[in-house]
């Protein structure tokens, strides 16, 4: 089997990096330089026409969108590893949280990110092309407050979802691996998690996973 992983440090690709680490999958990793426009080069656009990371190429087939990658790798390699449920209701629950991460939570998080002052946006190379297009409305105090309110609504949903559970679907799964990356990024944007104790405790449990702890130590 051949698996190539197109990545960039401290980007959405970190979610896929964590998924691959949990699964213990060996791959050829190619780091792209976002500031050099590597994701917009014709040869990369042939693999991922969105011009973004992550992408994986598995036995010749390109899969992009981190949520699709998590579910794809989960289906293929996660069931035997007890990190992804077999088809059925639990699989549905895992997919629900993975899709929600990228569609609902990431939408609010993206609005918060672009509203922040540059010194809080980390490496300016990450998301450089999106940041170029940001309007003054998107950068306003109002936009920031709206995004924070929407994130709080999402975290409330997550807090309720985690009530009485150690992890999203009971036992640890790649749904947790996926979502913890996004929640960690949101927390790094000075979003207070203390009103959501189940989320705070769950995040700490995720950070104690050996694969995640090892990755984070290297960042
Ligand atoms: N929805 C996509 C988002 C991917 C994304 O936004 N990637 C950013 C890095 S965090 C990127 O590659 N940006 C390239 C650029 O802006 O030039 C996913 O989940 O895979």
């Amino acid at each position: 089997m051949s698996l190539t992983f197109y990545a960039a440090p401290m980007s959405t690709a970190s979610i896929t990096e964590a998924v691959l680490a949990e699964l213990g999958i060996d791959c050829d990793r190619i780091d792209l330089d976002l500031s050099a426009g590597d994701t917009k080069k014709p040869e990369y656009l042939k693999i991922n026409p969105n011009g973004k990371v992550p992408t994986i190429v598995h036995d010749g087939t390109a899969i992009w969108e981190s949520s699709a990658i998590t579910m794809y790798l989960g289906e293929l390699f996660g069931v035997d590893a007890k990190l992804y449920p077999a088809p059925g209701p639990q699989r549905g629950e895992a997919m629900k949280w993975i899709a929600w991460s990228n569609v609902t939570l990431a939408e609010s998080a993206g609005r918060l990110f672009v509203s922040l002052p540059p010194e809080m946006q980390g490496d300016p190379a990450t998301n450089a092309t999106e940041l170029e297009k940001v309007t003054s409305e998107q950068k306003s105090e109002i936009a920031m407050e709206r995004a924070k309110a929407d994130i709080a609504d999402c975290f409330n949903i997550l807090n309720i979802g985690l009530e009485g559970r150690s992890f999203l679907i009971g036992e640890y799964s790649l749904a947790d691996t996926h979502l913890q990356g996004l929640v960690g990024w949101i927390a790094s944007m000075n979003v207070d998690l203390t009103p959501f104790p189940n989320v705070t405790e769950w995040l700490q449990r995720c950070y104690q996973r050996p694969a995640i702890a090892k990755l984070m130590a290297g960042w």
Side-chain angles (χ1 to χ4, degrees):
M1 119 78 193
S2 86
L3 187 75
T4 307
F5 170 37
Y6 293 88
M10 306 313 285
S11 71
T12 311
S14 302
I15 292 179
T16 303
E17 190 180 9
V19 167
L20 288 165
E22 280 287 0
L23 290 169
I25 294 176
D26 277 335
C27 62
D28 296 320
R29 178 177 168 140
I30 299 179
D31 270 300
L32 301 181
D33 181 347
L34 303 186
S35 60
D38 283 357
T39 55
K40 312 297 176 201
K41 291 187 176 153
E43 57 273 26
Y44 185 70
L45 291 173
K46 275 190 212 150
I47 300 166
N48 183 345
N50 302 284
K52 290 177 195 275
V53 286
T55 303
I56 60 164
V57 179
H58 179 222
D59 289 340
T61 299
I63 317 280
W64 32 260
E65 282 298 327
S66 59
S67 54
I69 296 171
T70 299
M71 292 189 270
Y72 178 76
L73 293 174
E75 229 175 86
L76 279 186
F77 306 108
V79 179
D80 286 349
K82 303 226 175 309
L83 285 168
Y84 201 68
Q90 267 214 318
R91 163 86 58 102
E93 278 202 297
M95 291 166 74
K96 168 183 83 178
W97 285 115
I98 295 165
W100 178 83
S101 302
N102 279 41
V103 177
T104 306
L105 180 60
E107 190 275 326
S108 307
R111 279 188 282 120
L112 176 61
F113 179 73
V114 298
S115 76
L116 295 174
E119 63 275 12
M120 284 183 67
Q121 284 170 333
D123 181 353
T126 310
N127 291 302
T129 45
E130 277 78 12
L131 288 171
E132 269 169 29
K133 297 180 210 144
V134 175
T135 63
S136 51
E137 285 79 17
Q138 288 173 295
K139 199 113 199 128
S140 68
E141 193 72 25
I142 295 175
M144 186 190 292
E145 290 313 316
R146 277 196 193 136
K148 281 189 175 168
D150 290 342
I151 288 170
D153 287 346
C154 287
F155 281 176
N156 195 37
I157 290 166
L158 181 56
N159 202 56
I160 293 167
L162 284 165
E163 187 64 42
R165 289 175 173 216
S166 296
F167 295 106
L168 291 166
I169 60 167
E171 294 295 309
Y172 183 83
S173 77
L174 295 182
D176 301 286
T177 321
H178 189 96
L179 183 54
Q180 62 82 30
L182 191 54
V183 173
W185 174 53
I186 294 170
S188 77
M189 293 192 277
N190 280 352
V191 171
D192 183 16
L193 291 187
T194 49
F196 313 101
N198 296 337
V199 178
T200 312
E201 287 162 25
W202 161 82
L203 192 59
Q204 291 316 312
R205 279 193 289 276
C206 290
Y207 287 169
Q208 281 160 18
R209 295 278 308 173
I212 306 284
K214 192 172 165 201
L215 270 187
M216 289 176 72
W219 287 341

